[in-house]
Amino acid sequence: MSRILSAEGVTFEFTVPVVVIGGGAAGMIAALAAHERGAEVLVLERDALPQGSTALSAGLIPAPGTRWQRAAGIEDSPERFAADIIAKAKGEPDPADVSRVARAVGPALEWLADRYGLPFSVVDNFTYPGHSARRMHGLPSRSGAELIDRLRGAVEAAGIDVLCEAHVTALYADDGPRVRGVEVTRPDGSVERVGCAALILACNGYGSNRALVERHVPELADALYFGHPGNQGDALLWGEALGAATRHLSGHQGHGSVAHPAGILVTWATVTEGGVQVNTEGKRFSNEAQGYSEQAAVVLRQPDGIAWTVFDERIATVARQFEDFRQAEAMGAVLGADDPADLARLMKIDTDALAATLAEVDRLKTAGGTDGFGRSFAGLAPLAAPYRAVRVTGALFHTQGGLVVDDDARVLSGEGGQLPNLYAAGGAACGVSGSKASGYLSGNGLLTAVALGRIAGVAAADAVKEESTP
């Protein structure tokens, strides 16, 4: 229930200067930033343990011009990153929004490393689709679970209060409309009212709200949802009720490579390094290299909504740096064989069709050619024994549209002004992917979680401090 209640005459059990709703990466980073600026902070998390969509991701954050890139000899800049984002989304995102996060994310990662000991490194052995430089940064396991664990540890070490199993079911606001506090419902049905001077919405988008998905992303209405079940669109619904501006609500990140039925994300390196996807008839059906987000709907259009990603041991070696891929192998989701015929038999698909498909792919690679779907195979090594395959489906990961924010991550009203003390970060805010799945550049989700999370935390703390100064 995403309600706005009148704050008139309401008594709050206690008041905290900065309240953050959501304990994923955006919320934890906002809390750290606000605390560092001297504000008392409370994080409200609906789950028993803060994880959010972050824990389900690969935990990779794109950032330009970092010290890790420089050490690896990678040339990059915020301007180059911004150009890649805008190119992938075909000019849809506001250039100011793109520049804001492209400039902020690198310093944010170095701050997390220096201040809180997060051991980031750059992925330097393959390039993600749409990125003109290798700029993905991750922790040693290359997993979102490690990222959220380390952020949670940093928040705990800083002494920031995190209240779990605290589901925010309503906001209290005056006619400003200024948010005065929140209603928190506990698992036993009891209700608490917590006052605040500033509120940061870090509770992601609406991916788990079937009605909103049907309205805004009908092509994925029946898709597997691979995000956090708490992403019910609360931030969007509260913002709309308060008169906030919204943008690109149909924007989303899908993924065309979720192991089925294991339900484990299979890294797109299996494709970018030279693998292909075939359907249950053993035939290729698209340019897989365009991007994993738009590939979700393409895979779902295949018979039974199923595809197979086919690659080889060389590519598997690259993929094993990711914890998710290692888990998929451990569960037996990755099949292996010494020749295409044996692989096809394990896949239970036509042996001749798969052999013909892979032979054509090898021919294109040898010739440096481009196929009928527009995929260039220049510079990619032919597949070689032992071969690998994983059965996958398309999924919705998270939505990318949301509340429009300014340079301080403050939510803007539909009339062009600002909502007085409301901030948004991560999936709660409008991202930089435009209105289509194809606009999603790898890492855009954690990009806005990290960049806007820190911006919101700093701005909220400063605003509260300014208001309390005589």
Side-chain angles (χ1 to χ4, degrees), residues 142-165:
R142 302 293 194 243
S143 73
E146 182 181 6
L147 176 60
I148 195 60
D149 284 349
R150 288 184 181 271
L151 289 173
R152 186 170 60 242
V155 165
E156 291 171 355
I160 298 169
D161 290 326
V162 179
L163 191 61
C164 294
E165 297 187 312

Side-chain angles (χ1 to χ4, degrees), residues 304-448:
D304 301 320
I306 292 297
W308 288 89
T309 303
V310 181
F311 48 106
D312 62 10
E313 176 58 23
R314 176 189 65 81
I315 296 172
T317 300
V318 175
R320 286 190 190 106
Q321 68 184 289
F322 299 101
E323 175 67 24
D324 288 340
F325 186 83
R326 297 195 297 271
Q327 287 180 8
E329 284 194 313
M331 291 181 65
V334 182
L335 307 181
D338 287 333
D339 63 66
D342 285 342
L343 187 67
R345 281 188 279 271
L346 290 174
M347 296 161 66
K348 295 183 172 59
I349 66 172
D350 187 272
T351 56
D352 291 339
L354 181 63
T357 295
L358 296 185
E360 173 63 11
V361 169
D362 285 349
R363 185 191 69 78
L364 287 165
K365 289 179 176 179
T366 301
T370 298
D371 66 15
F373 300 111
R375 179 175 179 180
S376 170
F377 285 94
L380 294 174
L383 299 181
Y387 297 90
R388 301 284 182 257
V390 58
R391 187 175 189 257
V392 298
T393 189
L396 172 63
F397 269 52
H398 55 78
T399 53
Q400 279 282 291
L403 307 175
V404 180
V405 300
D406 66 9
D407 282 344
D408 289 328
R410 192 191 303 262
V411 177
L412 298 178
S413 75
E415 298 174 351
Q418 298 170 324
L419 296 185
N421 63 337
L422 187 65
Y423 302 80
C430 178
V432 290
S433 302
S435 64
K436 302 177 183 67
S438 58
Y440 185 85
L441 186 67
S442 300
N444 272 2
L446 280 173
L447 165 65
T448 55

Side-chain angles (χ1 to χ4, degrees), residues 43-50 162-167 186-187:
V43 178
L44 298 172
E45 167 57 48
R46 64 183 290 162
D47 291 347
L49 182 70
V162 179
L163 191 61
C164 294
E165 297 187 312
H167 183 193
R186 307 289 275 171

Side-chain angles (χ1 to χ4, degrees), residues 18-32 41-54 148 151-152 155 160-169 171 182-184 199-205 228 230-232 234-235 238 423-428 449 453 456:
V18 177
V19 168
V20 180
I21 302 177
M28 291 303 194
I29 289 170
L32 289 168
V41 185
L42 172 65
V43 178
L44 298 172
E45 167 57 48
R46 64 183 290 162
D47 291 347
L49 182 70
Q51 290 184 311
S53 294
T54 304
I148 195 60
L151 289 173
R152 186 170 60 242
V155 165
I160 298 169
D161 290 326
V162 179
L163 191 61
C164 294
E165 297 187 312
H167 183 193
V168 178
T169 46
L171 306 186
V182 301
E183 174 190 85
V184 179
L199 179 65
I200 299 174
L201 299 175
C203 44
N204 210 281
H228 189 270
N231 298 341
Q232 293 289 332
D234 294 327
W238 283 322
Y423 302 80

Side-chain angles (χ1 to χ4, degrees), residues 175-223:
D175 293 336
R178 178 177 289 270
V179 176
R180 296 296 183 181
V182 301
E183 174 190 85
V184 179
T185 301
R186 307 289 275 171
D188 62 3
S190 62
V191 173
E192 298 172 85
R193 296 169 184 83
V194 180
C196 64
L199 179 65
I200 299 174
L201 299 175
C203 44
N204 210 281
Y206 63 82
S208 190
N209 185 320
R210 183 56 61 91
L212 289 177
V213 173
E214 287 179 350
R215 183 186 310 168
H216 298 299
V217 196
E219 64 270 29
L220 295 187
D222 297 320

